[in-house]
Amino acid sequence: TQVLRPDVCYLDPMFPPRTKSSAVKKNMQILHGLFQNQNSDEEFERIEEEQALLEEALMLAKKRVVVKRPVTAPPLGTQKGAQIIGVKMPSYELKGSVNRFDVYVLQNGEQ
């Protein structure tokens, strides 16, 4: 049987951990505490998970992958200020005031 593949994969992962020192709003403190990364091992795991998610989407989509990110965040699977070797960078980006959409255009036959 042949697997049907979508033309576009849209990823809307959770926002990366906060780097601000200001307090989180009271009604969000519990949720923030549950999902906050607390050490570099967790940061490394988060980046690996993001890379795996992006790689799967790139293999699945026929034409492109679109990733929603905060406007100041690095591309999915990378660290701020550094490109990790082997991680595909976006073909282009669409920026709004708060969010950015990183678009990965796949060439004919690329998977």
Side-chain angles (χ1 to χ4, degrees), residues 45-63:
E45 287 177 21
R46 179 185 63 79
I47 291 170
E48 279 189 331
E49 288 172 359
E50 288 180 353
Q51 290 172 352
L53 177 65
L54 180 58
E55 287 171 14
E56 288 293 323
L58 290 168
M59 286 190 295
L60 180 63
K62 288 182 194 175
K63 297 183 179 181

Side-chain angles (χ1 to χ4, degrees), residues 20-82:
K20 296 180 180 179
S21 59
S22 60
V24 177
K25 292 180 181 178
K26 189 173 183 173
N27 61 347
M28 295 297 288
Q29 284 179 350
I30 293 174
L31 222 112
H32 180 74
L34 289 173
F35 295 109
Q36 182 179 13
N37 286 337
Q38 297 189 359
N39 61 41
S40 60
D41 288 341
E42 289 177 356
E43 176 76 3
F44 180 74
E45 287 177 21
R46 179 185 63 79
I47 291 170
E48 279 189 331
E49 288 172 359
E50 288 180 353
Q51 290 172 352
L53 177 65
L54 180 58
E55 287 171 14
E56 288 293 323
L58 290 168
M59 286 190 295
L60 180 63
K62 288 182 194 175
K63 297 183 179 181
R64 66 184 45 117
V65 174
V66 179
V67 182
K68 181 180 175 184
R69 300 292 284 164
V71 74
T72 58
L76 197 66
T78 65
Q79 291 178 315
K80 195 162 192 109

